Amino acid sequence: MVVSGAPDPWADYSRLLGANLQRARLGLALTQERVAHAAGLSTFTYQKLEKGESNPGTAANPRLQTLISLALVLEVDVSDLLPPPTTDLLPRTQ
C-alpha cells in the first residue's frame, strides 16, 4: 500500500522502463507504431508503456512475453530495457 503523497517506487521504475524503451526505439529511428505492430501490440498500448503507465495513475506492468517481444524488435537484451531493481520495490511488511 502506498501512502498518499509518498513516492511510488513502481511508478518510478515503470517510467525508467519507458525511457529505456524510447531510447532504444529512437536509436533505431523507429516509430512507436512500427515497434508496437512488430511486437504484436497496439500503438496505444506501446505508447502507454513508454509513458510508464497502463492506466492514468497506474504503473505499467508488462508481461514477460511483451518485454521479450519488444527487446527482439528493438534489438536489445531484455536486461537493457529493465532499470536496476532496488529494495524499494519489495513489498512492505507491517
Side-chain angles (χ1 to χ4, degrees), residues 19-52:
N20 291 343
L21 287 167
Q22 183 180 51
R23 187 177 307 109
R25 176 179 62 79
L26 293 174
L28 293 175
L30 296 173
T31 65
Q32 289 178 329
E33 182 178 46
R34 174 70 184 112
V35 172
H37 290 239
L41 303 172
S42 72
T43 302
F44 178 77
T45 297
Y46 180 76
Q47 289 170 335
K48 298 298 276 181
L49 287 175
E50 273 198 13
K51 289 181 181 178

Side-chain angles (χ1 to χ4, degrees), residues 4-5 12 18-19 22 41-42 56-57 63 69 77 81-82 85 88 92:
S4 180
D12 293 340
Q22 183 180 51
L41 303 172
S42 72
R63 298 180 315 171
S69 294
D77 290 330
L81 296 177
L82 298 176
D88 292 347
R92 298 183 193 264

Side-chain angles (χ1 to χ4, degrees):
M1 180 171 131
V2 176
V3 178
S4 180
D8 179 359
W10 279 108
D12 293 340
Y13 189 85
S14 295
R15 280 190 290 278
L16 291 172
L17 169 64
N20 291 343
L21 287 167
Q22 183 180 51
R23 187 177 307 109
R25 176 179 62 79
L26 293 174
L28 293 175
L30 296 173
T31 65
Q32 289 178 329
E33 182 178 46
R34 174 70 184 112
V35 172
H37 290 239
L41 303 172
S42 72
T43 302
F44 178 77
T45 297
Y46 180 76
Q47 289 170 335
K48 298 298 276 181
L49 287 175
E50 273 198 13
K51 289 181 181 178
E53 57 185 40
S54 57
N55 294 313
T58 304
N61 190 10
R63 298 180 315 171
L64 180 58
Q65 180 180 359
T66 299
L67 290 172
I68 291 171
S69 294
L70 288 169
L72 290 169
V73 170
L74 295 169
E75 302 174 5
V76 297
D77 290 330
V78 173
S79 62
D80 294 331
L81 296 177
L82 298 176
T86 65
T87 57
D88 292 347
L89 299 173
L90 290 171
R92 298 183 193 264
T93 57
Q94 296 178 333

